[in-house]
Amino acid sequence: MSSEVDRQHILDLLPFWVNGTLSEDEQDMVEAAMAQDPSLRQEAEMLSLVRTTMQQQPDGESPGELGLARLRRDIEDSPQKVVEGRSRTRRYMLSFSGGLAAAFALIAVIGNFRVSEDVYELASSNNDTANIVVMFRADVTQASMASLLQRHELVIVDGPSAIGLYRLSPLDPGADLTQLAGTLRLETDVFESVDLP
Amino acid sequence: MNDADLKALIHRIGTGDKIALDALYRQMEKPLYRFINIKLNDPFLSADILQEVFLDVWKGAAAFEGRSAVKTWMFSIAYRKVIDVFRKNARLTIADDLPEQLDEAPSAMAQITAAEEADHLRACLAQLKPDHRDAIEFAFYEDMSYREIAEVTSVPEGTVKTRIFHAKKLLLHCLQGRMNTKVAS
């Protein structure tokens, strides 16, 4: 190195050489300095070890799809700062069918029913018709839920309702919902129920 | 997904596109959550903060001018929220006054066995000043450039380099102490 100042400059850049974020010029400068000064190379190796060790630490389980479902529910009550020409969010009541209707009636009978959107109304997506209403099994893992949703290109657009219902919507607006619902019904390890509104 | 892709998502989110928000969430949720949880060490609070970050993005997307990278913008939001938590809880930090005289010999790290590395490193990171720890975590957990770290933490680039320089020295000092290793100066 030509001076201590230059060496200090290289030492400052070394962590960013290790994480690969330097510009091409800076990278060339650091590599030229390391070629002349083995202690800089050693320093880089040490920093690389620290970085590797840090990145190998477990991440902890993030909220995943459940967090996304919560987010989708919360944004219904969080207006955007600049909204021009956006369709107004509408809310609608889910229509229930088959076993779900029966389950709902049972809830009414045992006294938990009240005519309130908090109980059985889910906030809608912009496309009310492109939805499948499901209930996940109690023992389903977040990982298997996420995997299934991604495999079928589905997103949770609403839920959970008070009785644990979620509404799923396909990313492809042209998807055949009836066929998709049929496919999902075969996923008995994941879903307790699958219904079309 | 590169920054141009992320900016396209933000633009769509700004028009109320929820599918774009889903895509952004799936792209950024894990790194943001990791960053927040490393700081707070509280999974439930971290999930709440993560939620707030995405709500801020949802509400502010239309006003995002794209002058910074999306990743930088989102980490800035998360960083400010974490700082707020620390301020509200008045969390104490320790060991900003470790002696500065130390050698930078890499042999200290080399002597740490693989099984012990993570524990020692975690313990030593916990002893750093928040500013120093933030800088080195952004550099090594998130692989951010010094320019990005400067933007996220709102300090000059030179300050970022100085913080990482000191963080590195203090980390080594701590690791040497924990391993009871004498390193020649």
Side-chain angles (χ1 to χ4, degrees):
Chain A
M1 303 297 326
S2 58
S3 71
E4 276 304 307
V5 174
D6 289 340
R7 189 173 192 281
Q8 183 60 47
H9 182 51
I10 299 297
L11 284 170
D12 287 344
L13 292 180
L14 268 185
F16 302 100
W17 179 83
V18 167
N19 76 7
T21 59
L22 291 181
S23 68
E24 203 170 319
D25 288 346
E26 289 170 328
Q27 193 173 321
D28 291 344
M29 183 167 56
V30 169
E31 287 170 6
M34 285 196 297
Q36 294 177 17
D37 184 344
S39 69
L40 290 174
R41 169 69 65 182
Q42 279 186 311
E43 173 100 8
E45 288 170 359
M46 180 274 296
L47 291 172
S48 181
L49 181 59
V50 171
R51 174 175 169 271
T52 301
T53 306
M54 287 174 77
Q55 294 203 343
Q56 283 175 346
Q57 293 188 59
D59 291 349
E61 190 167 342
S62 62
E65 293 297 322
L66 292 178
L68 181 55
R70 178 185 171 195
L71 178 65
R72 293 210 63 123
R73 192 174 61 242
D74 287 355
I75 62 176
E76 298 294 336
D77 300 321
S78 300
Q80 292 181 299
K81 285 177 183 168
V82 180
V83 184
E84 291 293 335
R86 184 161 70 93
S87 64
R88 206 176 258 238
T89 302
R90 294 179 294 125
R91 296 174 70 84
Y92 77 114
M93 292 166 66
L94 277 175
S95 61
F96 291 87
S97 64
L100 291 176
F104 197 68
L106 178 62
I107 290 172
V109 168
I110 62 176
N112 287 332
F113 174 78
R114 59 193 172 92
V115 184
S116 159
E117 63 180 26
D118 291 335
V119 176
Y120 61 97
E121 182 178 334
L122 294 173
S124 75
S125 68
N126 287 336
N127 184 351
D128 294 350
T129 58
N131 292 308
I132 298 172
V133 179
V134 302
M135 181 180 286
F136 290 101
R137 287 176 58 95
D139 58 350
V140 70
T141 64
Q142 194 274 332
S144 60
M145 188 190 302
S147 166
L148 183 139
L149 293 176
Q150 289 177 17
R151 192 164 68 248
H152 295 293
E153 297 187 321
L154 287 162
V155 292
I156 297 174
V157 295
D158 207 356
S161 71
I163 57 173
L165 297 173
Y166 289 83
R167 187 162 49 238
L168 310 182
S169 181
L171 290 173
D172 176 7
D176 182 337
L177 285 184
T178 306
Q179 185 180 7
L180 193 50
T183 305
L184 296 183
R185 286 191 188 102
L186 299 175
E187 303 278 0
T188 52
D189 291 344
V190 175
F191 295 114
E192 195 75 45
S193 66
V194 177
D195 287 272
L196 291 169
Chain B
M1 196 176 278
N2 61 32
D3 188 54
D5 295 332
L6 292 173
K7 280 181 174 152
L9 287 179
I10 294 292
H11 177 72
R12 287 170 52 198
I13 292 168
T15 66
D17 186 336
K18 295 171 186 170
I19 300 299
L21 184 65
D22 288 353
L24 183 72
Y25 179 92
R26 291 204 167 104
Q27 192 67 30
M28 295 297 296
E29 179 237 359
K30 285 188 186 303
L32 281 169
Y33 178 80
R34 180 176 69 169
F35 165 72
I36 295 165
N37 197 38
I38 282 170
K39 298 262 175 271
L40 301 180
N41 194 28
D42 181 335
F44 295 107
L45 180 58
S46 298
D48 288 344
I49 298 293
L50 179 75
Q51 183 81 356
E52 289 180 17
V53 171
F54 278 99
L55 281 174
D56 279 7
V57 168
W58 168 253
K59 287 187 277 190
F64 178 65
E65 295 176 352
R67 282 183 289 194
S68 63
V70 171
K71 178 181 165 188
T72 309
W73 179 50
M74 295 186 72
F75 271 91
S76 299
I77 296 170
Y79 180 71
R80 286 196 298 272
K81 290 187 181 297
V82 167
I83 295 293
D84 284 347
V85 170
F86 276 94
R87 283 181 181 147
K88 281 177 192 166
N89 295 349
R91 291 194 183 193
L92 297 177
T93 56
I94 55 173
D96 344 348
D97 53 352
L98 286 174
E100 292 282 326
Q101 80 296 352
L102 74 128
D103 26 44
E104 298 170 9
S107 57
M109 284 299 296
Q111 291 176 44
I112 301 172
T113 65
E116 293 171 321
E117 281 170 1
D119 285 346
H120 287 304
L121 189 56
R122 195 163 32 245
C124 290
L125 281 169
Q127 293 186 18
L128 295 179
K129 280 176 67 172
D131 290 347
H132 291 170
R133 182 179 172 181
D134 289 344
I136 205 154
E137 285 178 345
F138 276 127
F140 287 162
Y141 273 125
E142 310 304 335
D143 280 344
M144 285 188 179
S145 70
Y146 59 80
R147 295 178 184 88
E148 289 173 321
I149 299 171
E151 196 173 335
V152 168
T153 56
S154 301
V155 299
E157 290 174 5
T159 303
V160 171
K161 293 175 185 171
T162 303
R163 285 177 180 175
I164 288 187
F165 178 77
H166 286 297
K168 177 196 66 177
K169 288 174 67 176
L170 294 167
L171 265 182
L172 269 179
H173 181 91
C174 172
L175 288 167
Q176 288 168 13
R178 288 178 68 86
M179 297 304 294
N180 197 22
T181 306
K182 184 177 180 181
V183 181
S185 57

PDB file of all heavy atoms in Angstrom, chain A residues 164-184:
ATOM      1  N   GLY A 164     -63.595 -19.731  10.992  1.00  0.00           N
ATOM      2  CA  GLY A 164     -62.375 -20.306  10.423  1.00  0.00           C
ATOM      3  C   GLY A 164     -62.379 -20.514   8.927  1.00  0.00           C
ATOM      4  O   GLY A 164     -61.614 -21.328   8.409  1.00  0.00           O
ATOM      5  N   LEU A 165     -63.208 -19.786   8.223  1.00  0.00           N
ATOM      6  CA  LEU A 165     -63.248 -19.923   6.760  1.00  0.00           C
ATOM      7  C   LEU A 165     -62.257 -18.960   6.106  1.00  0.00           C
ATOM      8  O   LEU A 165     -62.075 -17.834   6.570  1.00  0.00           O
ATOM      9  CB  LEU A 165     -64.655 -19.623   6.244  1.00  0.00           C
ATOM     10  CG  LEU A 165     -65.758 -20.563   6.724  1.00  0.00           C
ATOM     11  CD1 LEU A 165     -67.117 -20.031   6.277  1.00  0.00           C
ATOM     12  CD2 LEU A 165     -65.535 -21.959   6.173  1.00  0.00           C
ATOM     13  N   TYR A 166     -61.670 -19.422   5.024  1.00  0.00           N
ATOM     14  CA  TYR A 166     -60.807 -18.576   4.209  1.00  0.00           C
ATOM     15  C   TYR A 166     -61.361 -18.544   2.789  1.00  0.00           C
ATOM     16  O   TYR A 166     -61.955 -19.525   2.333  1.00  0.00           O
ATOM     17  CB  TYR A 166     -59.382 -19.134   4.146  1.00  0.00           C
ATOM     18  CG  TYR A 166     -58.602 -19.013   5.425  1.00  0.00           C
ATOM     19  CD1 TYR A 166     -58.755 -19.963   6.420  1.00  0.00           C
ATOM     20  CD2 TYR A 166     -57.720 -17.970   5.625  1.00  0.00           C
ATOM     21  CE1 TYR A 166     -58.051 -19.872   7.607  1.00  0.00           C
ATOM     22  CE2 TYR A 166     -56.998 -17.870   6.803  1.00  0.00           C
ATOM     23  CZ  TYR A 166     -57.159 -18.816   7.796  1.00  0.00           C
ATOM     24  OH  TYR A 166     -56.451 -18.713   8.946  1.00  0.00           O
ATOM     25  N   ARG A 167     -61.141 -17.443   2.122  1.00  0.00           N
ATOM     26  CA  ARG A 167     -61.515 -17.390   0.717  1.00  0.00           C
ATOM     27  C   ARG A 167     -60.236 -17.377  -0.117  1.00  0.00           C
ATOM     28  O   ARG A 167     -59.327 -16.581   0.118  1.00  0.00           O
ATOM     29  CB  ARG A 167     -62.358 -16.158   0.412  1.00  0.00           C
ATOM     30  CG  ARG A 167     -62.889 -16.195  -1.013  1.00  0.00           C
ATOM     31  CD  ARG A 167     -64.057 -15.253  -1.264  1.00  0.00           C
ATOM     32  NE  ARG A 167     -63.815 -13.920  -0.782  1.00  0.00           N
ATOM     33  CZ  ARG A 167     -64.586 -13.297   0.109  1.00  0.00           C
ATOM     34  NH1 ARG A 167     -65.606 -13.908   0.637  1.00  0.00           N
ATOM     35  NH2 ARG A 167     -64.303 -12.074   0.480  1.00  0.00           N
ATOM     36  N   LEU A 168     -60.171 -18.274  -1.072  1.00  0.00           N
ATOM     37  CA  LEU A 168     -59.017 -18.389  -1.957  1.00  0.00           C
ATOM     38  C   LEU A 168     -59.398 -17.888  -3.343  1.00  0.00           C
ATOM     39  O   LEU A 168     -60.523 -18.073  -3.800  1.00  0.00           O
ATOM     40  CB  LEU A 168     -58.553 -19.846  -2.064  1.00  0.00           C
ATOM     41  CG  LEU A 168     -58.339 -20.617  -0.762  1.00  0.00           C
ATOM     42  CD1 LEU A 168     -57.825 -22.026  -1.070  1.00  0.00           C
ATOM     43  CD2 LEU A 168     -57.355 -19.893   0.133  1.00  0.00           C
ATOM     44  N   SER A 169     -58.424 -17.279  -3.998  1.00  0.00           N
ATOM     45  CA  SER A 169     -58.665 -16.801  -5.356  1.00  0.00           C
ATOM     46  C   SER A 169     -57.511 -17.246  -6.245  1.00  0.00           C
ATOM     47  O   SER A 169     -56.351 -17.153  -5.854  1.00  0.00           O
ATOM     48  CB  SER A 169     -58.759 -15.269  -5.349  1.00  0.00           C
ATOM     49  OG  SER A 169     -59.017 -14.793  -6.646  1.00  0.00           O
ATOM     50  N   PRO A 170     -57.785 -17.746  -7.447  1.00  0.00           N
ATOM     51  CA  PRO A 170     -56.693 -18.145  -8.346  1.00  0.00           C
ATOM     52  C   PRO A 170     -56.018 -16.920  -8.949  1.00  0.00           C
ATOM     53  O   PRO A 170     -56.684 -15.908  -9.211  1.00  0.00           O
ATOM     54  CB  PRO A 170     -57.406 -18.969  -9.426  1.00  0.00           C
ATOM     55  CG  PRO A 170     -58.804 -18.479  -9.418  1.00  0.00           C
ATOM     56  CD  PRO A 170     -59.112 -18.021  -8.031  1.00  0.00           C
ATOM     57  N   LEU A 171     -54.712 -17.008  -9.145  1.00  0.00           N
ATOM     58  CA  LEU A 171     -53.996 -15.905  -9.785  1.00  0.00           C
ATOM     59  C   LEU A 171     -54.442 -15.746 -11.238  1.00  0.00           C
ATOM     60  O   LEU A 171     -54.462 -14.649 -11.765  1.00  0.00           O
ATOM     61  CB  LEU A 171     -52.480 -16.153  -9.724  1.00  0.00           C
ATOM     62  CG  LEU A 171     -51.860 -16.051  -8.333  1.00  0.00           C
ATOM     63  CD1 LEU A 171     -50.399 -16.486  -8.366  1.00  0.00           C
ATOM     64  CD2 LEU A 171     -51.961 -14.646  -7.790  1.00  0.00           C
ATOM     65  N   ASP A 172     -54.776 -16.865 -11.839  1.00  0.00           N
ATOM     66  CA  ASP A 172     -55.242 -16.820 -13.226  1.00  0.00           C
ATOM     67  C   ASP A 172     -56.747 -16.532 -13.237  1.00  0.00           C
ATOM     68  O   ASP A 172     -57.550 -17.374 -12.829  1.00  0.00           O
ATOM     69  CB  ASP A 172     -54.955 -18.177 -13.890  1.00  0.00           C
ATOM     70  CG  ASP A 172     -55.500 -18.232 -15.319  1.00  0.00           C
ATOM     71  OD1 ASP A 172     -55.959 -17.185 -15.815  1.00  0.00           O
ATOM     72  OD2 ASP A 172     -55.465 -19.332 -15.909  1.00  0.00           O
ATOM     73  N   PRO A 173     -57.142 -15.356 -13.720  1.00  0.00           N
ATOM     74  CA  PRO A 173     -58.571 -15.025 -13.693  1.00  0.00           C
ATOM     75  C   PRO A 173     -59.412 -15.956 -14.565  1.00  0.00           C
ATOM     76  O   PRO A 173     -60.621 -16.058 -14.383  1.00  0.00           O
ATOM     77  CB  PRO A 173     -58.618 -13.582 -14.205  1.00  0.00           C
ATOM     78  CG  PRO A 173     -57.315 -13.324 -14.869  1.00  0.00           C
ATOM     79  CD  PRO A 173     -56.323 -14.288 -14.307  1.00  0.00           C
ATOM     80  N   GLY A 174     -58.775 -16.664 -15.498  1.00  0.00           N
ATOM     81  CA  GLY A 174     -59.528 -17.558 -16.373  1.00  0.00           C
ATOM     82  C   GLY A 174     -59.621 -18.983 -15.855  1.00  0.00           C
ATOM     83  O   GLY A 174     -60.121 -19.876 -16.549  1.00  0.00           O
ATOM     84  N   ALA A 175     -59.146 -19.211 -14.639  1.00  0.00           N
ATOM     85  CA  ALA A 175     -59.128 -20.573 -14.099  1.00  0.00           C
ATOM     86  C   ALA A 175     -60.552 -21.108 -13.923  1.00  0.00           C
ATOM     87  O   ALA A 175     -61.472 -20.357 -13.592  1.00  0.00           O
ATOM     88  CB  ALA A 175     -58.404 -20.572 -12.758  1.00  0.00           C
ATOM     89  N   ASP A 176     -60.690 -22.411 -14.155  1.00  0.00           N
ATOM     90  CA  ASP A 176     -61.987 -23.050 -13.980  1.00  0.00           C
ATOM     91  C   ASP A 176     -62.178 -23.364 -12.493  1.00  0.00           C
ATOM     92  O   ASP A 176     -61.575 -24.285 -11.951  1.00  0.00           O
ATOM     93  CB  ASP A 176     -62.022 -24.345 -14.810  1.00  0.00           C
ATOM     94  CG  ASP A 176     -63.371 -25.048 -14.726  1.00  0.00           C
ATOM     95  OD1 ASP A 176     -64.106 -24.818 -13.743  1.00  0.00           O
ATOM     96  OD2 ASP A 176     -63.684 -25.814 -15.654  1.00  0.00           O
ATOM     97  N   LEU A 177     -63.028 -22.584 -11.838  1.00  0.00           N
ATOM     98  CA  LEU A 177     -63.184 -22.705 -10.387  1.00  0.00           C
ATOM     99  C   LEU A 177     -63.764 -24.050  -9.971  1.00  0.00           C
ATOM    100  O   LEU A 177     -63.359 -24.614  -8.956  1.00  0.00           O
ATOM    101  CB  LEU A 177     -64.083 -21.588  -9.859  1.00  0.00           C
ATOM    102  CG  LEU A 177     -63.463 -20.191  -9.768  1.00  0.00           C
ATOM    103  CD1 LEU A 177     -64.451 -19.228  -9.129  1.00  0.00           C
ATOM    104  CD2 LEU A 177     -62.186 -20.218  -8.963  1.00  0.00           C
ATOM    105  N   THR A 178     -64.690 -24.546 -10.769  1.00  0.00           N
ATOM    106  CA  THR A 178     -65.316 -25.829 -10.412  1.00  0.00           C
ATOM    107  C   THR A 178     -64.281 -26.946 -10.431  1.00  0.00           C
ATOM    108  O   THR A 178     -64.198 -27.763  -9.507  1.00  0.00           O
ATOM    109  CB  THR A 178     -66.450 -26.154 -11.400  1.00  0.00           C
ATOM    110  OG1 THR A 178     -67.343 -25.039 -11.430  1.00  0.00           O
ATOM    111  CG2 THR A 178     -67.200 -27.398 -10.983  1.00  0.00           C
ATOM    112  N   GLN A 179     -63.475 -26.931 -11.488  1.00  0.00           N
ATOM    113  CA  GLN A 179     -62.437 -27.956 -11.606  1.00  0.00           C
ATOM    114  C   GLN A 179     -61.407 -27.799 -10.487  1.00  0.00           C
ATOM    115  O   GLN A 179     -60.972 -28.771  -9.869  1.00  0.00           O
ATOM    116  CB  GLN A 179     -61.761 -27.831 -12.971  1.00  0.00           C
ATOM    117  CG  GLN A 179     -60.755 -28.941 -13.233  1.00  0.00           C
ATOM    118  CD  GLN A 179     -60.097 -28.793 -14.604  1.00  0.00           C
ATOM    119  OE1 GLN A 179     -60.299 -27.806 -15.295  1.00  0.00           O
ATOM    120  NE2 GLN A 179     -59.310 -29.769 -14.968  1.00  0.00           N
ATOM    121  N   LEU A 180     -61.068 -26.549 -10.221  1.00  0.00           N
ATOM    122  CA  LEU A 180     -60.073 -26.271  -9.179  1.00  0.00           C
ATOM    123  C   LEU A 180     -60.589 -26.725  -7.812  1.00  0.00           C
ATOM    124  O   LEU A 180     -59.859 -27.345  -7.023  1.00  0.00           O
ATOM    125  CB  LEU A 180     -59.767 -24.765  -9.169  1.00  0.00           C
ATOM    126  CG  LEU A 180     -58.561 -24.287  -8.378  1.00  0.00           C
ATOM    127  CD1 LEU A 180     -57.305 -25.071  -8.718  1.00  0.00           C
ATOM    128  CD2 LEU A 180     -58.340 -22.798  -8.628  1.00  0.00           C
ATOM    129  N   ALA A 181     -61.844 -26.421  -7.548  1.00  0.00           N
ATOM    130  CA  ALA A 181     -62.433 -26.839  -6.261  1.00  0.00           C
ATOM    131  C   ALA A 181     -62.412 -28.356  -6.144  1.00  0.00           C
ATOM    132  O   ALA A 181     -62.130 -28.908  -5.069  1.00  0.00           O
ATOM    133  CB  ALA A 181     -63.858 -26.310  -6.143  1.00  0.00           C
ATOM    134  N   GLY A 182     -62.695 -29.032  -7.256  1.00  0.00           N
ATOM    135  CA  GLY A 182     -62.656 -30.491  -7.251  1.00  0.00           C
ATOM    136  C   GLY A 182     -61.260 -31.008  -6.927  1.00  0.00           C
ATOM    137  O   GLY A 182     -61.099 -31.973  -6.165  1.00  0.00           O
ATOM    138  N   THR A 183     -60.269 -30.366  -7.507  1.00  0.00           N
ATOM    139  CA  THR A 183     -58.883 -30.760  -7.228  1.00  0.00           C
ATOM    140  C   THR A 183     -58.541 -30.535  -5.757  1.00  0.00           C
ATOM    141  O   THR A 183     -57.910 -31.378  -5.108  1.00  0.00           O
ATOM    142  CB  THR A 183     -57.915 -29.927  -8.108  1.00  0.00           C
ATOM    143  OG1 THR A 183     -58.295 -30.081  -9.468  1.00  0.00           O
ATOM    144  CG2 THR A 183     -56.482 -30.373  -7.922  1.00  0.00           C
ATOM    145  N   LEU A 184     -58.996 -29.411  -5.246  1.00  0.00           N
ATOM    146  CA  LEU A 184     -58.674 -29.100  -3.846  1.00  0.00           C
ATOM    147  C   LEU A 184     -59.353 -30.066  -2.879  1.00  0.00           C
ATOM    148  O   LEU A 184     -58.815 -30.384  -1.821  1.00  0.00           O
ATOM    149  CB  LEU A 184     -59.088 -27.665  -3.512  1.00  0.00           C
ATOM    150  CG  LEU A 184     -58.355 -26.555  -4.270  1.00  0.00           C
ATOM    151  CD1 LEU A 184     -58.819 -25.179  -3.787  1.00  0.00           C
ATOM    152  CD2 LEU A 184     -56.840 -26.673  -4.115  1.00  0.00           C
TER     153      LEU A 184
END
